[in-house]
Amino acid sequence: MNNNLAGIRKRFLQLHPTNQTSGGVFSPRNGLVLCKFELSSSEVPLMMDGSSLRIAGQFTARQQNNAVADNQLAATTLNYIDGFCGVNMAIENITIASKKLNSNLERINNYHRLCPSIVSGKHGFKETETEISAQGLQHNTNALTRPGLCTYQQYSQVGAIPAGQGQRGQHFYMPLYSGIMNSGTDIDLSSAAFGGLTIEILLRASPNVVFGVGAAANLAYYELNDLVLTVPVYEIANAPPTQAFSFNSWTSMFQTINSSNSVLSLTPGLSKVTTCLINSITATDLGNQLFNSSRLGSLGEIQQLRWSKNGAMLPLQYRLLSVNQQNNDVAKANINNPVSFQVYNLNASFIRNYLEGITTDRYNKVKGTNLAFNNWSGGAINRFLNAGRTGDTPQSSDSNAILYDAYGSGQNFSNMVWSVQLETSATNQLNTGAGAVPNNIDGQAATAQAVSVFFLSKQTIVFAGGQGMDVVK
């Protein structure tokens, strides 16, 4: 397909995984958990639009219950995937590498923890239930994922042979929420630049994906089949070779906290950090098929937050304070009763910084978000510590983020210590209308939080006349 500009030709690449077997099924069930796509090099400048890249296929959930002949999940049992993740919940990590130098450009671990923060923070309610839902099977709340998991893609079962394993689940065509694919700059696949790309997707174990009481009882598992990568590319005649390429990249790290006054401290080794994002989940939920491992859990009653670089407050020169301590520990009639009737509705400064960080721009540029106070959907931010872990009640979408630099070269953490201090209540409980439930981190293993930390940094690759490249992180 030709466009209106002379010398530019647009076409679409459509690729199947290079390691696909004859059945075309990727699943931990059959031991095929690595999906690999290879985009070939070109002798002429070939620019790829990463933001329009899509991976299409089918997501099928099944169960190992021998009493069910076709292994289809029953509509009467409780089976879910995370609403904000959708199919992305099946991805453990993504690696994007240059074929020419066999060098990684971006590697995102815990991809299933990054996606829900991006989707819930950057997309509104209507967008999630329309465009985003059609792409990656995402929804505003976990309950809406349940019908699709027990439905196969056919209008009539009359004459269907075989009845079970020959049928498949929902279609999807999802983007990649990676930094390099969404940097706003086309990627040169030519031999003078990257020399082609390799995209590797590592899948997660089934107990970490399909969850719920029914899923755990019947050992539910998932399959991805008929995977196809589609991306538009532009052939540019007589274009000069690419001299340098700047892009964004997500770097992920992990820590645990089990105290009401905790400090996360890391050395990212990155020189141009734009944003830092953190989200958490109760550590005991990980690896347990009863619970949602992609849940954006609450840290309980946050009282203050302090972002630092080498111990000095940065980029804010002050602590972010909440009104929770005043409302919950002082203003109650019985100060010895740790039951809270006030929640996060006035923590505007926390939410503002989070939205700026996830948008990587100033607050007035935020276009949409699922976050809301006391909402029935998964965007609610006034849930208690373990809210929504089983899928049958609305989950939370709590995350924290800070924007270091919207338009400049980013903040230098190459040999600096990044840290954030989280002060929460050790005694608070939340009154949900049906009695008080724990809403605190009290130093016990049951309330310990697994915290995922993501740094979005700017990186520059300088191509040395086709002989190699220099990466500036």
Side-chain angles (χ1 to χ4, degrees):
M1 179 175 66
N2 295 319
N3 64 7
N4 296 326
L5 297 177
I8 300 180
R9 178 172 176 263
K10 179 181 179 180
R11 59 190 178 93
F12 287 87
L13 300 180
Q14 192 172 74
L15 307 171
H16 294 276
T18 57
N19 61 332
Q20 180 173 284
T21 60
S22 58
V25 176
F26 291 84
S27 172
R29 175 80 168 174
N30 64 2
L32 195 56
V33 295
L34 181 65
C35 178
K36 186 175 182 179
F37 296 96
E38 293 190 4
L39 291 87
S40 299
S41 176
S42 170
E43 292 302 318
V44 298
L46 186 65
M47 311 303 292
M48 184 187 81
D49 180 6
S51 64
S52 298
L53 182 148
R54 295 293 183 269
I55 296 178
Q58 286 181 279
F59 180 91
T60 306
R62 303 188 188 278
Q63 60 183 339
Q64 299 181 41
N65 188 342
N66 294 328
V68 181
D70 60 2
N71 287 33
Q72 187 171 356
L73 297 180
T76 56
T77 59
L78 301 180
N79 307 278
Y80 308 95
I81 56 176
D82 182 75
F84 290 132
C85 253
V87 179
N88 296 286
M89 193 175 181
I91 300 177
E92 182 68 40
N93 60 54
I94 289 179
T95 304
I96 302 171
S98 165
K99 291 186 66 176
K100 178 180 179 180
L101 297 179
N102 195 27
S103 174
N104 289 346
L105 302 174
E106 183 177 22
R107 178 183 175 88
I108 308 175
N109 297 320
N110 293 323
Y111 184 77
H112 60 282
R113 299 291 307 167
L114 174 64
C115 285
S117 287
I118 292 177
V119 171
S120 64
K122 297 182 68 172
H123 302 286
F125 184 93
K126 291 183 178 179
E127 186 181 3
T128 303
E129 285 303 327
T130 51
E131 178 186 359
I132 305 300
S133 177
Q135 289 180 355
L137 311 182
Q138 288 119 312
H139 292 282
N140 287 288
T141 189
N142 294 333
L144 294 177
T145 69
R146 181 181 170 189
L149 293 179
C150 61
T151 303
Y152 288 161
Q153 295 281 17
Q154 63 177 38
Y155 293 101
S156 173
Q157 293 186 356
V158 177
I161 300 175
Q165 294 295 331
Q167 300 172 11
R168 295 295 175 189
Q170 304 171 89
H171 288 274
F172 64 88
Y173 60 104
M174 63 182 184
L176 293 182
Y177 296 99
S178 66
I180 189 172
M181 295 297 176
N182 298 280
S183 297
T185 304
D186 291 344
I187 303 171
D188 190 353
L189 300 178
S190 69
S191 57
F194 291 114
L197 293 180
T198 299
I199 301 175
E200 293 184 347
I201 299 174
L202 181 65
L203 302 181
R204 306 178 69 207
S206 290
N208 295 325
V209 181
V210 185
F211 71 94
V213 175
N218 297 311
L219 301 178
Y221 64 97
Y222 72 94
E223 297 174 340
L224 302 180
N225 67 284
D226 298 335
L227 297 180
V228 178
L229 182 149
T230 303
V231 63
V233 294
Y234 300 86
E235 294 180 352
I236 305 176
N238 303 319
T242 301
Q243 300 295 324
F245 178 73
S246 296
F247 63 99
N248 295 327
S249 175
W250 285 104
T251 300
S252 57
M253 298 184 179
F254 177 86
Q255 278 197 356
T256 58
I257 59 174
N258 60 3
S259 169
S260 59
N261 194 337
S262 299
V263 177
L264 298 176
S265 181
L266 298 166
T267 304
L270 303 169
S271 63
K272 299 179 179 180
V273 175
T274 301
T275 286
C276 178
L277 163 70
I278 62 174
N279 59 45
S280 65
I281 183 176
T282 303
T284 54
D285 288 5
L286 298 176
N288 190 331
Q289 197 162 10
L290 287 171
F291 304 131
N292 179 6
S293 62
S294 293
R295 176 174 62 92
L296 299 177
S298 165
L299 286 170
E301 184 189 70
I302 297 181
Q303 295 175 351
Q304 62 175 284
L305 191 63
R306 178 183 185 268
W307 302 91
S308 302
K309 176 182 177 181
N310 268 12
M313 287 187 285
L314 191 90
L316 304 177
Q317 304 302 313
Y318 54 89
R319 300 171 185 264
L320 292 175
L321 303 176
S322 76
V323 297
N324 288 331
Q325 184 173 14
Q326 178 182 352
N327 286 345
N328 297 335
D329 296 343
V330 178
K332 292 179 298 186
N334 181 3
I335 62 174
N336 295 318
N337 183 0
V339 176
S340 168
F341 293 88
Q342 305 288 338
V343 284
Y344 303 165
N345 53 330
L346 295 180
N347 289 348
S349 59
F350 287 45
I351 299 170
R352 172 176 180 145
N353 280 279
Y354 167 63
L355 292 178
E356 285 187 343
I358 203 69
T359 308
T360 62
D361 212 330
R362 300 305 179 191
Y363 186 70
N364 63 337
K365 300 296 181 65
V366 175
K367 296 181 179 179
T369 182
N370 257 275
L371 270 65
F373 173 72
N374 204 24
N375 196 356
W376 69 269
S377 76
I381 55 173
N382 58 320
R383 306 289 183 216
F384 60 93
L385 196 69
N386 290 321
R389 68 198 310 197
T390 57
D392 50 357
T393 57
Q395 78 271 31
S396 59
S397 60
D398 279 17
S399 298
N400 284 286
I402 193 70
L403 176 64
Y404 288 104
D405 194 340
Y407 309 114
S409 59
Q411 191 64 229
N412 188 354
F413 284 98
S414 57
N415 56 358
M416 301 287 185
V417 177
W418 167 92
S419 65
V420 61
Q421 181 183 6
L422 292 161
E423 185 175 329
T424 65
S425 173
T427 59
N428 179 253
Q429 298 181 47
L430 184 65
N431 192 301
T432 62
V437 294
N439 190 41
N440 57 70
I441 304 174
D442 58 7
Q444 304 298 315
T447 62
Q449 298 295 299
V451 181
S452 297
V453 183
F454 298 94
F455 296 96
L456 182 65
S457 62
K458 300 177 181 179
Q459 301 190 18
T460 300
I461 294 179
V462 179
F463 299 100
Q467 303 301 315
M469 66 181 185
D470 181 33
V471 181
V472 181
K473 297 185 176 182

